[in-house]
C-alpha cells in the first residue's frame, strides 16, 4: 500500500460540490502539483481548509483543499481532499489531473479496505458502513450503524478474550501439571464454555429479525378474483401501481410495491386471483401466485364473501385474514380485519398489524445479525463450542483446546483477524470506487 490512490468520493452527477479524495504517502506531494492556495503559503497545516485554484484537465477551478496527516485519518494514511464545483466534467477533469500527477485510480472500496488493513476499523464495521450506504430503510441504517460503531465486534472480541483465558488455563495444565496438585477444575471449564455458547446463541437468534431488516418483509396479497386485491395494494401504497378492473383475472402476474412501516421495508405483492377454471395464460399467473404465497413472510388473504382460498401447503408465513369492501358489504366469516380499499376504512389498522407481525423491536444498543456471513460464522462457532463442551470429561484437554481454538478462529472471520483474502475481497466489492 505504498502507492497513492485517487477517486471521486461524491455521487456521479451535477450538484453543489464534488469531492476528489487522494490517499497514500505521496498524497500531499501529489496535491501540491495541482493546487495553488490563494494566500500564497508554502506549507499546509493538517485539518485546515485552504481556498485556491485547482488544476484540472485543460481548465482550473476555484475550490478548497484539506490535508489530513496520518495516522489520524480515515485510511490511516496521508489524505487530501479537493472540494470543487459539482459538475461531472469538472470532477472528472480534476481526478484525471491527479492521476497524471502520480496517483492511480482507486479500486472499489479501496479507501475503506486500507482503513481496515491499517487497523482503523474491523471487517464487520466496514460491512456496517456498506449497509448504511446501501440502506433502503431506516431500520437497516440503524442496524448498519451498530455494525459500523463496532457493536458486534466488541461482543465477538469479549467472547474471544474469554476463550483465550480458558485456553491459557488448559495450556498451563498440559505443560505444567506439577504446578497444580489438584488439577484443573473441569466443571468450571464446562460452566464457562456453556456461558459462551449461550452468548453465541443469543446473537444467532437476532438473525431472523436482522434478515428482515436487511431484505425487507415480503407480503403476498391473495384471494379469488375480484375481491379487490389490486385495489388494496394501491391503497396501501398510496398510488396506483396495479391495474384495477371488474373483469376477473385482470392480474396475470405478480405486481410489487414497497412501503416502510416502523423503519422496516415491506414488499407488497399483488398476486393473480386463484380459481379452478382459468385459461392457459391466467393459469401461469396462478402458479406464480402460489409460489409467491409459499415464500411470503406474511400473507394477506382477502375475501368479500367470507370464504378464503386454500393456501399452498408450503406456505409458512403469518396469515392476516381481511374482509374487503366493508363499505358495501357486511363483514362476516372468520376474518381478522375489515377494510375498504375504496374508502380507506381499516387500512391504518392493517398497516399496524403488518408492522407488528413483520417488524422487530429495534434499539440503538442491540447488535442485530444482518449479514448472512456473520450468521454462518456464528453457527459454526456454536457447533464447535458445543463439541468442546461435549468433550469435557470424555476427551483429553488438548483435544478440547483444538475445538476452542477453532471457535476463536471462526469468530476472527467476523472481525477480520482470521478472514481469508477471498472473504475480504468479497466484502469490499460491495463498495463504490470512491469509498
Amino acid at each position: 500500500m505504498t502507492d497513492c490512490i485517487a477517486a471521486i468520493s461524491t455521487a456521479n452527477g451535477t450538484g453543489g460540490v464534488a469531492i476528489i479524495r487522494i490517499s497514500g504517502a505521496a498524497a500531499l506531494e501529489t496535491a501540491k502539483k495541482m493546487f495553488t492556495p490563494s494566500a500564497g503559503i508554502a506549507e499546509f497545516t493538517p485539518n485546515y481548509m485552504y481556498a485556491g485554484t485547482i488544476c484540472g484537465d485543460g481548465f482550473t477551478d476555484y475550490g478548497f483543499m484539506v490535508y489530513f496527516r496520518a495516522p489520524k485519518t480515515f485510511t490511516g494514511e496521508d489524505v487530501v481532499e479537493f472540494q470543487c464545483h459539482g459538475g461531472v466534467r469538472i470532477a472528472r477533469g480534476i481526478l484525471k489531473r491527479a492521476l497524471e500527477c502520480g496517483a492511480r485510480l482507486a479500486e472499489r472500496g479501496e479507501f475503506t479496505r486500507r482503513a481496515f488493513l491499517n487497523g482503523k476499523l474491523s471487517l464487520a464495521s466496514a460491512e456496517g458502513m456498506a449497509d448504511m450506504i446501501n440502506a433502503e430503510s431506516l431500520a437497516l441504517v440503524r442496524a448498519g450503524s451498530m455494525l459500523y460503531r463496532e457493536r458486534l465486534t466488541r461482543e465477538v472480541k469479549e467472547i474471544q478474550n474469554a476463550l483465550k483465558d480458558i485456553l491459557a488455563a488448559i495450556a498451563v495444565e498440559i505443560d505444567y501439571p506439577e504446578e497444580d496438585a489438584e488439577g484443573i477444575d473441569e466443571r468450571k471449564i464446562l460452566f464457562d464454555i456453556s456461558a459462551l455458547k449461550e452468548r453465541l446463541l443469543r446473537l444467532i437468534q437476532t438473525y431472523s429479525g436482522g434478515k428482515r431488516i436487511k431484505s425487507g418483509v415480503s407480503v403476498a396479497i391473495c384471494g379469488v378474483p375480484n375481491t379487490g386485491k389490486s385495489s388494496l395494494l394501491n391503497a396501501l401504497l398510496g398510488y396506483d401501481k396495479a391495474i384495477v378492473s371488474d373483469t376477473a383475472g385482470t392480474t396475470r402476474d405478480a405486481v410489487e410495491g414497497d412501503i416502510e412501516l416502523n423503519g422496516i421495508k415491506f414488499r407488497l405483492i399483488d398476486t393473480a386471483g386463484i380459481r379452478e377454471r382459468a385459461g392457459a395464460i391466467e393459469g401461469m399467473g396462478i402458479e406464480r401466485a402460489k409460489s409467491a404465497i409459499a415464500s411470503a413472510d406474511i400473507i394477506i388473504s382477502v375475501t368479500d364473501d367470507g370464504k378464503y382460498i386454500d393456501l399452498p401447503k408450503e406456505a409458512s408465513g403469518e396469515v392476516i385474514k381481511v374482509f374487503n369492501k366493508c363499505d358495501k358489504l357486511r363483514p362476516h366469516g372468520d376474518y381478522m380485519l375489515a377494510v375498504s380499499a375504496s374508502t380507506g376504512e381499516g387500512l391504518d389498522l392493517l398497516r399496524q398489524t403488518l408492522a407488528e407481525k413483520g417488524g422487530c423491536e429495534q434499539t440503538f444498543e442491540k447488535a442485530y445479525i444482518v449479514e448472512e456471513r456473520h450468521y454462518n460464522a456464528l453457527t459454526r462457532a456454536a457447533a464447535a463450542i458445543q463439541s468442546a463442551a461435549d468433550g469435557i470429561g470424555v476427551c483429553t484437554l488438548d483435544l478440547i483446546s483444538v475445538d476452542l481454538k477453532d471457535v476463536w478462529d471462526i469468530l476472527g472471520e467476523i472481525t477480520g483477524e482470521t478472514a481469508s483474502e477471498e472473504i475480504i475481497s468479497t466484502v469490499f466489492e460491495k463498495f463504490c470506487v470512491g469509498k
Side-chain angles (χ1 to χ4, degrees), residues 128-164:
M129 183 190 299
D131 284 338
M132 292 179 68
I133 293 171
N134 298 317
E136 295 182 356
S137 69
L138 175 61
L140 186 52
V141 172
R142 289 176 175 173
S145 176
M146 289 294 98
L147 266 181
Y148 178 56
R149 289 162 53 192
E150 306 283 15
R151 179 72 60 182
L152 177 60
T153 297
R154 284 197 295 271
E155 292 197 30
V156 167
K157 283 187 174 294
E158 286 177 5
I159 297 173
Q160 285 183 306
N161 289 336
L163 285 168
K164 281 183 183 179

Side-chain angles (χ1 to χ4, degrees), residues 39-52:
I41 61 169
E43 296 297 328
F44 293 93
T45 303
N47 306 321
Y48 278 79
M49 179 175 285
Y50 295 91

Side-chain angles (χ1 to χ4, degrees), residues 351-368:
R351 293 188 185 96
Q352 179 182 333
T353 303
L354 283 171
E356 290 172 353
K357 290 185 176 297
C360 58
E361 184 180 350
Q362 266 201 300
T363 72
F364 285 100
E365 302 302 321
K366 185 175 182 180
Y368 279 88

Side-chain angles (χ1 to χ4, degrees), residues 246-322:
D246 292 333
T247 303
T250 299
T251 301
R252 300 294 180 88
D253 204 351
V255 180
E256 301 183 10
D258 295 339
I259 59 173
E260 188 171 308
L261 302 172
N262 288 353
I264 305 276
K265 184 178 77 171
F266 286 74
R267 187 174 70 258
L268 307 180
I269 308 166
D270 174 27
T271 62
I274 296 177
R275 58 179 174 176
E276 292 184 4
R277 295 182 179 180
I281 296 178
E282 186 181 350
M284 293 174 62
I286 291 173
E287 290 305 311
R288 292 184 181 182
K290 290 179 179 179
S291 177
I293 296 167
S295 61
D297 298 312
I298 298 176
I299 301 164
I300 299 179
S301 187
V302 184
T303 186
D304 60 1
D305 63 3
K307 298 178 182 179
Y308 296 91
I309 64 169
D310 294 327
L311 300 177
K313 61 181 180 180
E314 300 86 3
S316 59
E318 292 196 66
V319 180
I320 304 174
K321 292 185 176 181
V322 170

Side-chain angles (χ1 to χ4, degrees), residues 30 32 63 102 113 133 154 239 256 318 325 337 344 367 381 390 403 421:
T30 301
K32 286 180 177 180
R113 182 173 185 146
I133 293 171
R154 284 197 295 271
Y239 62 92
E256 301 183 10
E318 292 196 66
K325 306 179 185 178
L337 299 172
D390 293 341
D403 282 332
E421 183 62 30

Side-chain angles (χ1 to χ4, degrees), residues 5-6 10 53 60 97 108 129 177 189 255-256 261 369 376:
I5 59 173
T10 43
T53 302
T60 60
R97 180 60 181 158
R108 294 177 68 90
M129 183 190 299
I189 295 292
V255 180
E256 301 183 10
L261 302 172
I369 304 302
N376 290 335

